[in-house]
Amino acid sequence: MGTVRAVIFDLDGTLLDTLPDLVAITNKALSDLGFPTHSRDEILSYIGLGAESLISQALPAGTSQEDLLRTLDHWRALYPVMGDTLTSYFLGIEDMLANLRRAGIKTAVLSNKFDAGTQQVVTRYFPGLFDVVHGEDSEIPRKPDPTGLLRTLSELACRPQEAAYVGDSPTDMEVAHRAGVQAWAVIWGYNPPASLKAAGADKVVQAANDIVRFACG
């Protein structure tokens, strides 16, 4: 095995294509409360910094804080029912995770999705495949704050220099560097590869099993 003992993953846009569900649930929440809906590309441009940021950007300019919180609460209430029904795996993800575990490498998820939604999705699509799973909550602030990543490393009993964080956004590259771990960027996610290279990606992942090759040396 190489020098990497643990690989920690972003969720949306890295392990799973969750965008169809995010479009559906966001537009349902907006429509139910009388607000205009958005196209796929518009909602894509809003994601990455958690549900509150998504809803804030999706609502019309000048919307009150009260209406923002009301819409966010409705969005979260809808999530258990329709939050992951259209989600799909990116190519090779399941085999890659199995290969990492066979190699004795620990795996974890750290997402900006709210924690209950993160746990729901991981339990459905990756039962038993991760040693640690965290989404945003009162103790895990949104990336690029490194608090959640450092906590995950501690729970994995792994030093930063022995770990890599895999993601699809400049925010993911930033949180990795702030925590002192390697930043690996996937090319199939929701951001152009050039933006990830500009954000300081240490490695660029062209295909899922590249992660195994990088980790095992």
Side-chain angles (χ1 to χ4, degrees):
M1 188 168 66
T3 58
V4 173
R5 295 181 53 240
V7 180
I8 304 158
F9 294 88
D10 172 53
L11 185 59
D12 298 34
T14 299
L15 294 172
L16 295 171
D17 182 10
T18 58
L19 182 58
D21 282 306
L22 291 174
V23 172
I25 192 172
T26 300
N27 280 334
K28 171 69 170 166
L30 292 169
S31 177
D32 284 353
L33 296 179
F35 295 111
T37 58
H38 295 278
S39 70
R40 174 192 179 278
D41 287 346
E42 286 171 332
I43 290 176
L44 173 59
S45 74
Y46 303 152
I47 66 174
L49 292 175
E52 184 172 350
S53 175
L54 165 61
I55 296 302
S56 177
Q57 294 176 84
L59 287 167
T63 298
S64 69
Q65 182 71 8
E66 180 183 359
D67 279 344
L68 188 158
L69 293 176
R70 189 164 60 96
T71 308
L72 179 60
D73 285 346
H74 186 48
W75 188 96
R76 286 180 167 157
L78 290 171
Y79 199 92
V81 179
M82 58 182 298
D84 60 11
T85 57
L86 304 175
T87 287
S88 60
Y89 300 98
F90 286 114
L91 183 65
I93 292 297
E94 293 170 284
D95 287 343
M96 176 271 295
L97 291 172
N99 289 336
L100 284 178
R101 295 183 71 83
R102 275 195 289 270
I105 295 169
K106 296 178 180 180
T107 56
V109 168
L110 175 66
S111 174
N112 270 355
K113 187 191 294 291
F114 70 111
D115 187 63
T118 300
Q119 302 294 339
Q120 174 182 325
V121 170
V122 171
T123 298
R124 175 171 180 173
Y125 288 90
F126 303 109
L129 287 184
F130 291 103
D131 300 293
V132 176
V133 178
H134 287 301
E136 181 195 4
D137 65 17
S138 60
E139 297 182 356
I140 306 285
R142 287 194 303 273
K143 302 172 292 185
D145 187 307
T147 301
L149 186 47
L150 292 170
R151 174 172 164 175
T152 301
L153 289 169
S154 176
E155 291 168 342
L156 294 171
C158 184
R159 296 177 297 172
Q161 60 267 35
E162 298 173 322
Y165 187 73
V166 182
D168 74 311
S169 74
T171 298
D172 294 329
M173 303 302 101
E174 182 179 350
V175 73
H177 290 147
R178 290 180 66 180
V181 310
Q182 296 182 50
W184 297 356
V186 303
I187 66 165
W188 54 77
Y190 301 146
N191 292 275
S195 72
L196 304 177
K197 293 176 183 177
D202 297 306
K203 293 185 184 294
V204 176
V205 180
Q206 304 283 340
N209 225 43
D210 287 348
I211 295 168
V212 182
R213 181 166 56 84
F214 293 158
C216 293

